[in-house]
Amino acid sequence: RAPQQGPGIAPSVRHIAAQLEARGWGPATLELSGLDPVEIGGGGRVVKAEPLDFVLAASGRLDPAPLGLDADVNIYG
């Protein structure tokens, strides 16, 4: 089934941000289309992307390089 963006995307982004912060990833500010900015580790570099693309990259289902991110963004990797 193809990934879909719906009402669960904002909670997914917040969950991933919390997981990344707990792992010491960042600092960064997620500026994802249509969502309020989310700071990880107190702000820092700005990550601009579509929310679904970020969630897919951070869960290992999309290459993070086109988003300007390294593989360490994968919370399952």
Side-chain angles (χ1 to χ4, degrees):
R1 184 170 132 157
Q4 297 179 349
Q5 184 166 307
I9 198 74
S12 295
V13 168
R14 288 192 302 272
H15 170 74
I16 289 168
Q19 293 297 311
L20 289 170
E21 187 161 23
R23 294 170 184 238
W25 188 87
T29 300
L30 304 178
E31 291 187 2
L32 307 179
S33 300
L35 300 179
D36 292 334
V38 176
E39 288 189 359
I40 300 171
R45 69 180 171 139
V46 175
V47 176
K48 293 185 180 227
E50 291 298 317
L52 182 58
D53 290 343
F54 176 77
V55 167
L56 292 174
S59 61
R61 297 184 295 166
L62 185 72
D63 180 8
L67 304 180
L69 301 170
D70 294 325
D72 62 349
V73 75
N74 181 348
I75 62 172
Y76 299 117

